[in-house]
């Protein structure tokens, strides 16, 4: 089975496809550093949409999602955006935890796994 890698850097790929499974790296709001949790979540989900499309799938085929928040008190703010974005009837298995992130400007990080047909 072949492996495809997208947006390959020296340290990691932003997306990897093996067979019919698509894995994204943890995505942060590069276009909204320092912005609110709502804005960062929106930016991240737009990026995930683009990566999934590039890999030949979409959010309706999500299998899992891992979400990291720097402050769990912002859980509802993140969920506002997430709930409007996730495909109705097709939510993935999901975990959300509080954690320090790689840079203090980042408040949210999201990593997903999806199927593709």
């Amino acid at each position: 089975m072949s492996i495809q890698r997208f947006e390959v850097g020296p340290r990691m790929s932003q997306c990897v496809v093996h067979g019919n499974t698509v894995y994204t790296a943890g995505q942060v709001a590069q276009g909204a550093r320092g912005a609110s949790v709502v804005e960062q979540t929106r930016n991240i989900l737009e990026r995930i949409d683009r990566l999934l499309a590039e890999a030949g799938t979409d959010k309706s085929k999500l299998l899992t999602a891992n979400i990291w928040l720097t402050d769990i008190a912002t859980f509802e703010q993140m969920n506002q955006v997430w709930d409007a974005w996730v495909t109705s009837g097709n939510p993935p298995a999901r975990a959300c935890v509080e954690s320090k992130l790689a840079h203090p400007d980042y408040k949210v990080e999201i990593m997903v796994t999806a199927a593709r047909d």
Side-chain angles (χ1 to χ4, degrees):
M1 219 178 274
S2 68
I3 298 173
Q4 292 177 279
R5 298 176 196 282
F6 299 87
E7 296 188 25
V8 178
R11 180 172 293 150
M12 64 185 192
S13 298
Q14 293 301 310
C15 185
V16 176
V17 178
H18 181 252
N20 286 325
T21 307
V22 178
Y23 307 88
T24 68
Q27 300 299 307
V28 292
Q30 294 175 346
R33 275 177 87 156
S36 71
V37 168
V38 167
E39 292 173 77
Q40 287 196 16
T41 303
R42 191 173 292 122
N43 180 268
I44 292 165
L45 296 177
E46 288 169 1
R47 183 161 167 72
I48 288 172
D49 277 334
R50 188 179 53 72
L51 286 169
L52 292 176
E54 192 175 352
T57 191
D58 62 57
K59 64 186 175 184
S60 71
K61 296 183 178 73
L62 290 179
L63 302 172
T64 64
N66 293 311
I67 303 170
W68 296 271
L69 299 171
T70 57
D71 183 354
I72 202 68
T74 63
F75 182 72
E76 290 307 320
Q77 295 169 43
M78 178 277 302
N79 273 330
Q80 275 180 351
V81 181
W82 175 270
D83 292 345
W85 176 79
V86 75
T87 305
S88 180
N90 295 309
R94 190 184 99 165
C96 182
V97 298
E98 181 179 77
S99 177
K100 284 187 176 182
L101 298 182
H103 192 280
D105 284 347
Y106 297 134
K107 299 173 183 168
V108 183
E109 184 168 344
I110 302 174
M111 179 175 140
V112 301
T113 303
R116 71 175 188 174
D117 297 329

